[in-house]
């Protein structure tokens, strides 16, 4: 079965650089969520999209932005990177029609040096 | 403010034993309570989930017990195996709103 695909798997950036993370949801899933997980922490919600519109916003810094495209894939853009942005970034997708099942991707490990 | 409180933070169980992880929530509007298993460097994987209209759900060695009046739910892992060693997160959400995670429990199962 198709899963949530995230790219890249690993990313190393320098401070003040920009990073773009991509997420391809499960086909026919209409909602995408982004989470940030620091070392030893629980995943923290950043932002979500439903049918290409932003549906909810969490603790996402102003330096970050995201969008969902017409093919339902989503991109998380992170600018002016800081050391504290080093974390695992997960994307999840879901749809109401399958009993609220959320499926997570394998994540992107971002390291800011 | 942690909307979903999880305990214990870490758990050590002998092979064949029962692992029990507890969670409590505040928001009575939550209607979906999943448990996720996460291995290092991997994404959370859905183990089992429950809706508030049932008090227990069992899938293989994994059981969720749900107490709506106490706003608590727990995960029981029967016959725990070394391969179960991972971090477990409870979570809660309302409809397809964002998942609110507990703080996680690191389970270690020793042979």
């Amino acid at each position: 079965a198709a899963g949530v695909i995230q790219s890249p798997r690993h990313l190393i950036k320098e401070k003040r650089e920009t990073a773009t993370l991509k997420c391809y949801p499960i086909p026919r899933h209409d909602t995408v969520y982004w989470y940030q997980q620091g070392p030893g922490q629980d995943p923290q919600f950043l932002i979500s999209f439903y049918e290409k519109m932003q549906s909810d916003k969490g603790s996402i810094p102003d330096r970050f932005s995201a969008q969902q495209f017409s093919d339902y894939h989503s991109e998380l853009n992170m600018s002016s990177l800081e050391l504290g942005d080093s974390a695992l970034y997960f994307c999840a997708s879901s749809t109401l029609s399958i009993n609220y099942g959320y499926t997570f991707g394998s994540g992107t490990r971002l390291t800011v040096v | 403010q942690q909307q979903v409180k999880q305990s214990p933070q870490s758990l050590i169980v002998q092979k064949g034993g029962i692992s029990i992880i507890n969670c409590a929530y505040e928001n009575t509007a939550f209607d979906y309570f999943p448990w996720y298993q996460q291995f290092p460097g991997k994404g959370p994987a859905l183990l089992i989930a429950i809706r508030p209209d049932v008090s227990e759900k069992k899938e293989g060695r994994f059981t969720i017990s749900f107490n709506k009046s106490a706003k608590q739910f727990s995960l029981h892992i029967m016959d725990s195996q070394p391969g179960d060693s991972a971090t477990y997160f409870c979570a809660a959400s309302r409809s397809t709103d964002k998942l609110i995670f507990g703080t996680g429990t690191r389970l270690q199962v020793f042979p």
Side-chain angles (χ1 to χ4, degrees):
Chain A
V4 176
I5 307 297
Q6 288 188 249
S7 67
R9 288 299 311 276
H10 303 275
L11 192 57
I12 300 175
K13 291 285 186 178
E14 295 188 354
K15 282 196 310 183
R16 293 180 288 277
E17 282 193 317
T18 298
T20 297
L21 279 53
K22 297 184 179 182
C23 169
Y24 296 85
I26 290 174
R28 293 182 296 282
H29 277 198
D30 49 31
T31 307
V32 168
Y33 311 80
W34 285 97
Y35 289 83
Q36 177 191 58
Q37 187 177 28
Q41 304 294 315
D42 54 293
Q44 294 294 314
F45 171 72
L46 292 177
I47 195 167
S48 63
F49 293 88
Y50 169 70
E51 285 290 347
K52 293 155 282 185
M53 299 288 290
Q54 181 180 310
S55 53
D56 197 359
K57 194 172 181 180
S59 51
I60 184 170
D62 292 340
R63 300 177 289 107
F64 293 8
S65 65
Q67 57 182 321
Q68 186 178 32
F69 295 86
S70 57
D71 64 351
Y72 291 93
H73 94 272
S74 179
E75 294 184 3
L76 177 66
N77 298 291
M78 310 159 70
S79 62
S80 303
L81 287 169
E82 302 174 356
L83 295 178
D85 296 329
S86 296
L88 276 167
Y89 290 84
F90 292 106
C91 168
S93 71
S94 75
T95 177
L96 266 176
S97 65
I98 54 167
N99 201 29
Y100 302 0
Y102 297 77
T103 302
F104 281 81
S106 296
T108 294
R109 179 177 291 281
L110 173 66
T111 303
V112 182
V113 297
Chain B
Q1 182 185 2
Q2 191 73 26
Q3 292 190 53
V4 179
K5 296 180 180 179
Q6 184 172 347
S7 64
Q9 191 174 13
S10 62
L11 183 60
I12 299 174
V13 173
Q14 200 161 16
K15 179 182 175 182
I18 302 173
S19 304
I20 302 174
I21 306 171
N22 301 298
C23 281
Y25 63 96
E26 295 292 329
N27 189 343
T28 55
F30 288 150
D31 62 359
Y32 176 67
F33 303 90
W35 283 91
Y36 284 87
Q37 179 190 58
Q38 186 177 30
F39 293 103
K42 302 293 186 183
L46 179 65
L47 261 181
I48 186 171
I50 199 168
R51 301 281 303 281
D53 51 349
V54 297
S55 60
E56 186 173 283
K57 183 176 181 180
K58 183 176 181 179
E59 289 183 2
R61 297 186 293 110
F62 302 95
T63 300
I64 297 181
S65 297
F66 185 81
N67 186 328
K68 188 174 180 178
S69 61
K71 294 187 286 185
Q72 295 175 348
F73 59 111
S74 60
L75 175 70
H76 291 63
I77 305 174
M78 312 300 287
D79 188 26
S80 299
Q81 299 296 311
D84 296 332
S85 298
T87 299
Y88 293 80
F89 291 97
C90 63
S93 74
R94 180 176 62 89
S95 182
T96 53
D97 286 357
K98 60 183 178 288
L99 282 171
I100 307 296
F101 285 88
T103 49
T105 295
R106 186 181 176 193
L107 172 65
Q108 293 174 277
V109 181
F110 285 95

